[in-house]
PDB file of all heavy atoms in Angstrom:
ATOM      1  N   ASP A  98       0.833  -1.212   0.000  1.00  0.00           N
ATOM      2  CA  ASP A  98       0.000   0.000   0.000  1.00  0.00           C
ATOM      3  C   ASP A  98       0.867   1.261   0.000  1.00  0.00           C
ATOM      4  O   ASP A  98       0.581   2.218  -0.726  1.00  0.00           O
ATOM      5  CB  ASP A  98      -0.923   0.020   1.220  1.00  0.00           C
ATOM      6  CG  ASP A  98      -2.051  -0.984   1.121  1.00  0.00           C
ATOM      7  OD1 ASP A  98      -2.290  -1.515   0.015  1.00  0.00           O
ATOM      8  OD2 ASP A  98      -2.685  -1.255   2.167  1.00  0.00           O
ATOM      9  N   ILE A  99       1.929   1.257   0.805  1.00  0.00           N
ATOM     10  CA  ILE A  99       2.819   2.425   0.867  1.00  0.00           C
ATOM     11  C   ILE A  99       3.523   2.611  -0.472  1.00  0.00           C
ATOM     12  O   ILE A  99       3.617   3.738  -0.988  1.00  0.00           O
ATOM     13  CB  ILE A  99       3.829   2.266   2.018  1.00  0.00           C
ATOM     14  CG1 ILE A  99       3.104   2.331   3.358  1.00  0.00           C
ATOM     15  CG2 ILE A  99       4.905   3.343   1.948  1.00  0.00           C
ATOM     16  CD1 ILE A  99       3.968   1.986   4.550  1.00  0.00           C
ATOM     17  N   ILE A 100       4.008   1.519  -1.064  1.00  0.00           N
ATOM     18  CA  ILE A 100       4.693   1.606  -2.363  1.00  0.00           C
ATOM     19  C   ILE A 100       3.729   2.115  -3.432  1.00  0.00           C
ATOM     20  O   ILE A 100       4.085   2.970  -4.260  1.00  0.00           O
ATOM     21  CB  ILE A 100       5.290   0.241  -2.748  1.00  0.00           C
ATOM     22  CG1 ILE A 100       6.436  -0.112  -1.798  1.00  0.00           C
ATOM     23  CG2 ILE A 100       5.778   0.224  -4.189  1.00  0.00           C
ATOM     24  CD1 ILE A 100       6.936  -1.536  -1.926  1.00  0.00           C
ATOM     25  N   THR A 101       2.496   1.630  -3.422  1.00  0.00           N
ATOM     26  CA  THR A 101       1.490   2.069  -4.396  1.00  0.00           C
ATOM     27  C   THR A 101       1.201   3.557  -4.243  1.00  0.00           C
ATOM     28  O   THR A 101       1.129   4.289  -5.236  1.00  0.00           O
ATOM     29  CB  THR A 101       0.205   1.248  -4.233  1.00  0.00           C
ATOM     30  OG1 THR A 101       0.522  -0.139  -4.369  1.00  0.00           O
ATOM     31  CG2 THR A 101      -0.840   1.639  -5.251  1.00  0.00           C
ATOM     32  N   LYS A 102       1.054   4.008  -2.990  1.00  0.00           N
ATOM     33  CA  LYS A 102       0.798   5.438  -2.758  1.00  0.00           C
ATOM     34  C   LYS A 102       1.990   6.280  -3.213  1.00  0.00           C
ATOM     35  O   LYS A 102       1.807   7.354  -3.791  1.00  0.00           O
ATOM     36  CB  LYS A 102       0.505   5.704  -1.273  1.00  0.00           C
ATOM     37  CG  LYS A 102      -0.862   5.236  -0.814  1.00  0.00           C
ATOM     38  CD  LYS A 102      -1.229   5.765   0.553  1.00  0.00           C
ATOM     39  CE  LYS A 102      -0.376   5.234   1.658  1.00  0.00           C
ATOM     40  NZ  LYS A 102      -0.810   5.604   3.010  1.00  0.00           N
ATOM     41  N   TRP A 103       3.195   5.808  -2.963  1.00  0.00           N
ATOM     42  CA  TRP A 103       4.390   6.567  -3.362  1.00  0.00           C
ATOM     43  C   TRP A 103       4.503   6.644  -4.882  1.00  0.00           C
ATOM     44  O   TRP A 103       4.792   7.696  -5.434  1.00  0.00           O
ATOM     45  CB  TRP A 103       5.637   5.935  -2.764  1.00  0.00           C
ATOM     46  CG  TRP A 103       6.906   6.642  -3.144  1.00  0.00           C
ATOM     47  CD1 TRP A 103       7.850   6.206  -4.010  1.00  0.00           C
ATOM     48  CD2 TRP A 103       7.347   7.923  -2.686  1.00  0.00           C
ATOM     49  NE1 TRP A 103       8.859   7.118  -4.105  1.00  0.00           N
ATOM     50  CE2 TRP A 103       8.583   8.195  -3.309  1.00  0.00           C
ATOM     51  CE3 TRP A 103       6.821   8.870  -1.817  1.00  0.00           C
ATOM     52  CZ2 TRP A 103       9.299   9.365  -3.086  1.00  0.00           C
ATOM     53  CZ3 TRP A 103       7.535  10.031  -1.589  1.00  0.00           C
ATOM     54  CH2 TRP A 103       8.757  10.273  -2.219  1.00  0.00           C
ATOM     55  N   ASN A 104       4.272   5.517  -5.548  1.00  0.00           N
ATOM     56  CA  ASN A 104       4.369   5.497  -7.005  1.00  0.00           C
ATOM     57  C   ASN A 104       3.244   6.289  -7.668  1.00  0.00           C
ATOM     58  O   ASN A 104       3.402   6.751  -8.796  1.00  0.00           O
ATOM     59  CB  ASN A 104       4.389   4.060  -7.529  1.00  0.00           C
ATOM     60  CG  ASN A 104       5.682   3.347  -7.173  1.00  0.00           C
ATOM     61  OD1 ASN A 104       6.711   3.978  -6.963  1.00  0.00           O
ATOM     62  ND2 ASN A 104       5.612   2.034  -7.085  1.00  0.00           N
ATOM     63  N   ALA A 105       2.121   6.451  -6.983  1.00  0.00           N
ATOM     64  CA  ALA A 105       1.003   7.210  -7.538  1.00  0.00           C
ATOM     65  C   ALA A 105       1.221   8.728  -7.426  1.00  0.00           C
ATOM     66  O   ALA A 105       0.545   9.501  -8.101  1.00  0.00           O
ATOM     67  CB  ALA A 105      -0.295   6.824  -6.833  1.00  0.00           C
ATOM     68  N   ARG A 106       2.164   9.133  -6.606  1.00  0.00           N
ATOM     69  CA  ARG A 106       2.439  10.568  -6.441  1.00  0.00           C
ATOM     70  C   ARG A 106       3.110  11.114  -7.689  1.00  0.00           C
ATOM     71  O   ARG A 106       3.981  10.484  -8.276  1.00  0.00           O
ATOM     72  CB  ARG A 106       3.351  10.817  -5.238  1.00  0.00           C
ATOM     73  CG  ARG A 106       2.700  10.560  -3.897  1.00  0.00           C
ATOM     74  CD  ARG A 106       3.653  10.934  -2.769  1.00  0.00           C
ATOM     75  NE  ARG A 106       4.131  12.304  -2.875  1.00  0.00           N
ATOM     76  CZ  ARG A 106       3.507  13.378  -2.392  1.00  0.00           C
ATOM     77  NH1 ARG A 106       2.359  13.243  -1.798  1.00  0.00           N
ATOM     78  NH2 ARG A 106       4.033  14.582  -2.534  1.00  0.00           N
ATOM     79  N   GLU A 107       2.704  12.301  -8.073  1.00  0.00           N
ATOM     80  CA  GLU A 107       3.352  12.969  -9.194  1.00  0.00           C
ATOM     81  C   GLU A 107       4.677  13.583  -8.742  1.00  0.00           C
ATOM     82  O   GLU A 107       5.661  13.563  -9.466  1.00  0.00           O
ATOM     83  CB  GLU A 107       2.448  14.052  -9.778  1.00  0.00           C
ATOM     84  CG  GLU A 107       1.231  13.496 -10.481  1.00  0.00           C
ATOM     85  CD  GLU A 107       0.341  14.599 -11.013  1.00  0.00           C
ATOM     86  OE1 GLU A 107       0.808  15.747 -11.164  1.00  0.00           O
ATOM     87  OE2 GLU A 107      -0.832  14.302 -11.288  1.00  0.00           O
ATOM     88  N   ASP A 108       4.677  14.128  -7.525  1.00  0.00           N
ATOM     89  CA  ASP A 108       5.862  14.790  -6.998  1.00  0.00           C
ATOM     90  C   ASP A 108       6.569  13.834  -6.033  1.00  0.00           C
ATOM     91  O   ASP A 108       6.053  13.506  -4.972  1.00  0.00           O
ATOM     92  CB  ASP A 108       5.448  16.062  -6.264  1.00  0.00           C
ATOM     93  CG  ASP A 108       6.610  16.710  -5.542  1.00  0.00           C
ATOM     94  OD1 ASP A 108       7.757  16.547  -6.003  1.00  0.00           O
ATOM     95  OD2 ASP A 108       6.365  17.376  -4.518  1.00  0.00           O
ATOM     96  N   THR A 109       7.752  13.360  -6.412  1.00  0.00           N
ATOM     97  CA  THR A 109       8.536  12.507  -5.520  1.00  0.00           C
ATOM     98  C   THR A 109       9.914  13.098  -5.246  1.00  0.00           C
ATOM     99  O   THR A 109      10.757  12.423  -4.658  1.00  0.00           O
ATOM    100  CB  THR A 109       8.709  11.097  -6.121  1.00  0.00           C
ATOM    101  OG1 THR A 109       9.354  11.221  -7.384  1.00  0.00           O
ATOM    102  CG2 THR A 109       7.389  10.379  -6.255  1.00  0.00           C
ATOM    103  N   THR A 110      10.138  14.334  -5.667  1.00  0.00           N
ATOM    104  CA  THR A 110      11.471  14.922  -5.531  1.00  0.00           C
ATOM    105  C   THR A 110      11.529  16.104  -4.581  1.00  0.00           C
ATOM    106  O   THR A 110      12.617  16.460  -4.132  1.00  0.00           O
ATOM    107  CB  THR A 110      11.994  15.378  -6.909  1.00  0.00           C
ATOM    108  OG1 THR A 110      11.074  16.315  -7.469  1.00  0.00           O
ATOM    109  CG2 THR A 110      12.151  14.189  -7.845  1.00  0.00           C
ATOM    110  N   SER A 111      10.407  16.699  -4.262  1.00  0.00           N
ATOM    111  CA  SER A 111      10.441  17.903  -3.424  1.00  0.00           C
ATOM    112  C   SER A 111      10.701  17.540  -1.957  1.00  0.00           C
ATOM    113  O   SER A 111      10.626  16.386  -1.546  1.00  0.00           O
ATOM    114  CB  SER A 111       9.113  18.659  -3.528  1.00  0.00           C
ATOM    115  OG  SER A 111       8.088  17.940  -2.883  1.00  0.00           O
ATOM    116  N   TRP A 112      10.987  18.571  -1.201  1.00  0.00           N
ATOM    117  CA  TRP A 112      11.210  18.404   0.233  1.00  0.00           C
ATOM    118  C   TRP A 112       9.957  17.835   0.895  1.00  0.00           C
ATOM    119  O   TRP A 112      10.054  16.949   1.748  1.00  0.00           O
ATOM    120  CB  TRP A 112      11.583  19.759   0.829  1.00  0.00           C
ATOM    121  CG  TRP A 112      11.871  19.712   2.296  1.00  0.00           C
ATOM    122  CD1 TRP A 112      13.046  19.381   2.877  1.00  0.00           C
ATOM    123  CD2 TRP A 112      10.951  19.999   3.361  1.00  0.00           C
ATOM    124  NE1 TRP A 112      12.939  19.445   4.240  1.00  0.00           N
ATOM    125  CE2 TRP A 112      11.652  19.820   4.567  1.00  0.00           C
ATOM    126  CE3 TRP A 112       9.618  20.386   3.411  1.00  0.00           C
ATOM    127  CZ2 TRP A 112      11.071  20.016   5.798  1.00  0.00           C
ATOM    128  CZ3 TRP A 112       9.035  20.573   4.642  1.00  0.00           C
ATOM    129  CH2 TRP A 112       9.758  20.397   5.824  1.00  0.00           C
ATOM    130  N   TYR A 113       8.770  18.335   0.496  1.00  0.00           N
ATOM    131  CA  TYR A 113       7.504  17.856   1.066  1.00  0.00           C
ATOM    132  C   TYR A 113       7.286  16.385   0.749  1.00  0.00           C
ATOM    133  O   TYR A 113       6.837  15.619   1.605  1.00  0.00           O
ATOM    134  CB  TYR A 113       6.331  18.699   0.549  1.00  0.00           C
ATOM    135  CG  TYR A 113       6.369  20.118   1.034  1.00  0.00           C
ATOM    136  CD1 TYR A 113       6.702  21.155   0.185  1.00  0.00           C
ATOM    137  CD2 TYR A 113       6.087  20.425   2.362  1.00  0.00           C
ATOM    138  CE1 TYR A 113       6.757  22.462   0.630  1.00  0.00           C
ATOM    139  CE2 TYR A 113       6.144  21.723   2.830  1.00  0.00           C
ATOM    140  CZ  TYR A 113       6.474  22.737   1.959  1.00  0.00           C
ATOM    141  OH  TYR A 113       6.538  24.025   2.416  1.00  0.00           O
ATOM    142  N   ALA A 114       7.604  15.981  -0.468  1.00  0.00           N
ATOM    143  CA  ALA A 114       7.444  14.577  -0.850  1.00  0.00           C
ATOM    144  C   ALA A 114       8.344  13.683   0.002  1.00  0.00           C
ATOM    145  O   ALA A 114       7.918  12.607   0.445  1.00  0.00           O
ATOM    146  CB  ALA A 114       7.762  14.395  -2.331  1.00  0.00           C
ATOM    147  N   HIS A 115       9.552  14.122   0.264  1.00  0.00           N
ATOM    148  CA  HIS A 115      10.467  13.323   1.084  1.00  0.00           C
ATOM    149  C   HIS A 115       9.998  13.249   2.535  1.00  0.00           C
ATOM    150  O   HIS A 115      10.181  12.210   3.193  1.00  0.00           O
ATOM    151  CB  HIS A 115      11.887  13.880   0.995  1.00  0.00           C
ATOM    152  CG  HIS A 115      12.521  13.627  -0.340  1.00  0.00           C
ATOM    153  ND1 HIS A 115      12.974  12.386  -0.721  1.00  0.00           N
ATOM    154  CD2 HIS A 115      12.751  14.440  -1.394  1.00  0.00           C
ATOM    155  CE1 HIS A 115      13.469  12.454  -1.942  1.00  0.00           C
ATOM    156  NE2 HIS A 115      13.333  13.692  -2.382  1.00  0.00           N
ATOM    157  N   LYS A 116       9.385  14.311   3.014  1.00  0.00           N
ATOM    158  CA  LYS A 116       8.848  14.284   4.386  1.00  0.00           C
ATOM    159  C   LYS A 116       7.652  13.343   4.474  1.00  0.00           C
ATOM    160  O   LYS A 116       7.482  12.638   5.474  1.00  0.00           O
ATOM    161  CB  LYS A 116       8.464  15.696   4.860  1.00  0.00           C
ATOM    162  CG  LYS A 116       9.648  16.598   5.065  1.00  0.00           C
ATOM    163  CD  LYS A 116      10.623  15.972   6.048  1.00  0.00           C
ATOM    164  CE  LYS A 116      11.941  16.703   6.070  1.00  0.00           C
ATOM    165  NZ  LYS A 116      12.956  15.982   6.817  1.00  0.00           N
ATOM    166  N   ILE A 117       6.823  13.317   3.436  1.00  0.00           N
ATOM    167  CA  ILE A 117       5.692  12.374   3.400  1.00  0.00           C
ATOM    168  C   ILE A 117       6.229  10.944   3.368  1.00  0.00           C
ATOM    169  O   ILE A 117       5.750  10.062   4.086  1.00  0.00           O
ATOM    170  CB  ILE A 117       4.779  12.674   2.203  1.00  0.00           C
ATOM    171  CG1 ILE A 117       4.031  13.991   2.429  1.00  0.00           C
ATOM    172  CG2 ILE A 117       3.798  11.530   1.948  1.00  0.00           C
ATOM    173  CD1 ILE A 117       3.276  14.506   1.232  1.00  0.00           C
ATOM    174  N   ARG A 118       7.244  10.713   2.540  1.00  0.00           N
ATOM    175  CA  ARG A 118       7.882   9.392   2.451  1.00  0.00           C
ATOM    176  C   ARG A 118       8.429   8.979   3.811  1.00  0.00           C
ATOM    177  O   ARG A 118       8.219   7.858   4.269  1.00  0.00           O
ATOM    178  CB  ARG A 118       9.004   9.446   1.410  1.00  0.00           C
ATOM    179  CG  ARG A 118       9.828   8.196   1.294  1.00  0.00           C
ATOM    180  CD  ARG A 118      10.994   8.440   0.317  1.00  0.00           C
ATOM    181  NE  ARG A 118      11.842   7.293   0.194  1.00  0.00           N
ATOM    182  CZ  ARG A 118      12.912   7.077   0.944  1.00  0.00           C
ATOM    183  NH1 ARG A 118      13.255   7.932   1.882  1.00  0.00           N
ATOM    184  NH2 ARG A 118      13.639   5.996   0.743  1.00  0.00           N
ATOM    185  N   ASP A 119       9.128   9.906   4.476  1.00  0.00           N
ATOM    186  CA  ASP A 119       9.689   9.611   5.795  1.00  0.00           C
ATOM    187  C   ASP A 119       8.591   9.307   6.817  1.00  0.00           C
ATOM    188  O   ASP A 119       8.754   8.432   7.674  1.00  0.00           O
ATOM    189  CB  ASP A 119      10.540  10.779   6.288  1.00  0.00           C
ATOM    190  CG  ASP A 119      11.817  10.957   5.483  1.00  0.00           C
ATOM    191  OD1 ASP A 119      12.191  10.019   4.742  1.00  0.00           O
ATOM    192  OD2 ASP A 119      12.423  12.050   5.589  1.00  0.00           O
ATOM    193  N   ALA A 120       7.476  10.027   6.719  1.00  0.00           N
ATOM    194  CA  ALA A 120       6.359   9.774   7.643  1.00  0.00           C
ATOM    195  C   ALA A 120       5.765   8.385   7.418  1.00  0.00           C
ATOM    196  O   ALA A 120       5.462   7.665   8.376  1.00  0.00           O
ATOM    197  CB  ALA A 120       5.281  10.843   7.470  1.00  0.00           C
ATOM    198  N   TRP A 121       5.597   7.993   6.157  1.00  0.00           N
ATOM    199  CA  TRP A 121       5.068   6.656   5.861  1.00  0.00           C
ATOM    200  C   TRP A 121       6.024   5.570   6.348  1.00  0.00           C
ATOM    201  O   TRP A 121       5.596   4.559   6.896  1.00  0.00           O
ATOM    202  CB  TRP A 121       4.817   6.502   4.365  1.00  0.00           C
ATOM    203  CG  TRP A 121       3.646   7.280   3.853  1.00  0.00           C
ATOM    204  CD1 TRP A 121       2.619   7.798   4.583  1.00  0.00           C
ATOM    205  CD2 TRP A 121       3.375   7.628   2.507  1.00  0.00           C
ATOM    206  NE1 TRP A 121       1.731   8.459   3.761  1.00  0.00           N
ATOM    207  CE2 TRP A 121       2.170   8.358   2.477  1.00  0.00           C
ATOM    208  CE3 TRP A 121       4.046   7.400   1.302  1.00  0.00           C
ATOM    209  CZ2 TRP A 121       1.612   8.847   1.310  1.00  0.00           C
ATOM    210  CZ3 TRP A 121       3.487   7.897   0.131  1.00  0.00           C
ATOM    211  CH2 TRP A 121       2.285   8.602   0.137  1.00  0.00           C
ATOM    212  N   ILE A 122       7.307   5.788   6.148  1.00  0.00           N
ATOM    213  CA  ILE A 122       8.305   4.820   6.622  1.00  0.00           C
ATOM    214  C   ILE A 122       8.274   4.741   8.145  1.00  0.00           C
ATOM    215  O   ILE A 122       8.345   3.658   8.730  1.00  0.00           O
ATOM    216  CB  ILE A 122       9.708   5.196   6.097  1.00  0.00           C
ATOM    217  CG1 ILE A 122       9.783   4.965   4.588  1.00  0.00           C
ATOM    218  CG2 ILE A 122      10.790   4.402   6.818  1.00  0.00           C
ATOM    219  CD1 ILE A 122      11.039   5.506   3.933  1.00  0.00           C
ATOM    220  N   SER A 123       8.156   5.885   8.790  1.00  0.00           N
ATOM    221  CA  SER A 123       8.105   5.926  10.252  1.00  0.00           C
ATOM    222  C   SER A 123       6.871   5.198  10.796  1.00  0.00           C
ATOM    223  O   SER A 123       6.964   4.459  11.783  1.00  0.00           O
ATOM    224  CB  SER A 123       8.122   7.373  10.727  1.00  0.00           C
ATOM    225  OG  SER A 123       8.038   7.444  12.111  1.00  0.00           O
ATOM    226  N   GLU A 124       5.722   5.408  10.161  1.00  0.00           N
ATOM    227  CA  GLU A 124       4.501   4.709  10.587  1.00  0.00           C
ATOM    228  C   GLU A 124       4.655   3.199  10.422  1.00  0.00           C
ATOM    229  O   GLU A 124       4.244   2.425  11.300  1.00  0.00           O
ATOM    230  CB  GLU A 124       3.301   5.207   9.792  1.00  0.00           C
ATOM    231  CG  GLU A 124       2.857   6.599  10.152  1.00  0.00           C
ATOM    232  CD  GLU A 124       1.786   7.148   9.209  1.00  0.00           C
ATOM    233  OE1 GLU A 124       1.291   6.374   8.347  1.00  0.00           O
ATOM    234  OE2 GLU A 124       1.450   8.328   9.329  1.00  0.00           O
ATOM    235  N   ALA A 125       5.229   2.783   9.308  1.00  0.00           N
ATOM    236  CA  ALA A 125       5.436   1.352   9.077  1.00  0.00           C
ATOM    237  C   ALA A 125       6.434   0.777  10.083  1.00  0.00           C
ATOM    238  O   ALA A 125       6.237  -0.322  10.609  1.00  0.00           O
ATOM    239  CB  ALA A 125       5.917   1.109   7.651  1.00  0.00           C
ATOM    240  N   ALA A 126       7.488   1.524  10.373  1.00  0.00           N
ATOM    241  CA  ALA A 126       8.485   1.073  11.345  1.00  0.00           C
ATOM    242  C   ALA A 126       7.873   0.942  12.732  1.00  0.00           C
ATOM    243  O   ALA A 126       8.195   0.007  13.482  1.00  0.00           O
ATOM    244  CB  ALA A 126       9.663   2.037  11.375  1.00  0.00           C
ATOM    245  N   GLU A 127       6.979   1.860  13.062  1.00  0.00           N
ATOM    246  CA  GLU A 127       6.304   1.786  14.356  1.00  0.00           C
ATOM    247  C   GLU A 127       5.446   0.529  14.454  1.00  0.00           C
ATOM    248  O   GLU A 127       5.416  -0.146  15.487  1.00  0.00           O
ATOM    249  CB  GLU A 127       5.444   3.038  14.556  1.00  0.00           C
ATOM    250  CG  GLU A 127       4.892   3.176  15.945  1.00  0.00           C
ATOM    251  CD  GLU A 127       4.139   4.484  16.122  1.00  0.00           C
ATOM    252  OE1 GLU A 127       4.589   5.513  15.605  1.00  0.00           O
ATOM    253  OE2 GLU A 127       3.082   4.445  16.776  1.00  0.00           O
ATOM    254  N   LYS A 128       4.763   0.192  13.369  1.00  0.00           N
ATOM    255  CA  LYS A 128       3.969  -1.042  13.351  1.00  0.00           C
ATOM    256  C   LYS A 128       4.862  -2.270  13.460  1.00  0.00           C
ATOM    257  O   LYS A 128       4.506  -3.245  14.116  1.00  0.00           O
ATOM    258  CB  LYS A 128       3.134  -1.112  12.069  1.00  0.00           C
ATOM    259  CG  LYS A 128       1.999  -0.128  12.031  1.00  0.00           C
ATOM    260  CD  LYS A 128       1.255  -0.203  10.710  1.00  0.00           C
ATOM    261  CE  LYS A 128       0.190   0.876  10.632  1.00  0.00           C
ATOM    262  NZ  LYS A 128      -0.478   0.896   9.319  1.00  0.00           N
ATOM    263  N   LEU A 129       6.012  -2.219  12.801  1.00  0.00           N
ATOM    264  CA  LEU A 129       6.942  -3.355  12.863  1.00  0.00           C
ATOM    265  C   LEU A 129       7.535  -3.530  14.259  1.00  0.00           C
ATOM    266  O   LEU A 129       7.723  -4.650  14.724  1.00  0.00           O
ATOM    267  CB  LEU A 129       8.073  -3.166  11.844  1.00  0.00           C
ATOM    268  CG  LEU A 129       7.739  -3.456  10.390  1.00  0.00           C
ATOM    269  CD1 LEU A 129       8.863  -2.960   9.494  1.00  0.00           C
ATOM    270  CD2 LEU A 129       7.498  -4.935  10.177  1.00  0.00           C
ATOM    271  N   ASP A 130       7.836  -2.436  14.918  1.00  0.00           N
ATOM    272  CA  ASP A 130       8.484  -2.489  16.225  1.00  0.00           C
ATOM    273  C   ASP A 130       7.516  -2.748  17.378  1.00  0.00           C
ATOM    274  O   ASP A 130       7.957  -2.928  18.518  1.00  0.00           O
ATOM    275  CB  ASP A 130       9.233  -1.181  16.500  1.00  0.00           C
ATOM    276  CG  ASP A 130      10.497  -1.063  15.691  1.00  0.00           C
ATOM    277  OD1 ASP A 130      11.079  -2.102  15.321  1.00  0.00           O
ATOM    278  OD2 ASP A 130      10.910   0.088  15.406  1.00  0.00           O
ATOM    279  N   ALA A 131       6.225  -2.763  17.085  1.00  0.00           N
ATOM    280  CA  ALA A 131       5.235  -2.949  18.149  1.00  0.00           C
ATOM    281  C   ALA A 131       5.494  -4.264  18.881  1.00  0.00           C
ATOM    282  O   ALA A 131       5.726  -5.303  18.264  1.00  0.00           O
ATOM    283  CB  ALA A 131       3.823  -2.945  17.564  1.00  0.00           C
ATOM    284  N   ARG A 132       5.498  -4.219  20.173  1.00  0.00           N
ATOM    285  CA  ARG A 132       5.637  -5.356  21.075  1.00  0.00           C
ATOM    286  C   ARG A 132       7.019  -6.011  21.102  1.00  0.00           C
ATOM    287  O   ARG A 132       7.221  -6.978  21.820  1.00  0.00           O
ATOM    288  CB  ARG A 132       4.553  -6.396  20.807  1.00  0.00           C
ATOM    289  CG  ARG A 132       3.169  -5.887  21.202  1.00  0.00           C
ATOM    290  CD  ARG A 132       2.099  -6.879  20.938  1.00  0.00           C
ATOM    291  NE  ARG A 132       1.510  -6.881  19.622  1.00  0.00           N
ATOM    292  CZ  ARG A 132       0.848  -5.889  19.048  1.00  0.00           C
ATOM    293  NH1 ARG A 132       0.702  -4.761  19.676  1.00  0.00           N
ATOM    294  NH2 ARG A 132       0.330  -6.003  17.855  1.00  0.00           N
TER     295      ARG A 132
END
């Protein structure tokens, strides 16, 4: 789902796009680290 959302974005190079990418990675990492 995260990869699909990232690939669907038109803008993947701006600072905002990288912050969105980092947020998605952080959310996924939090789910992975749970417990």
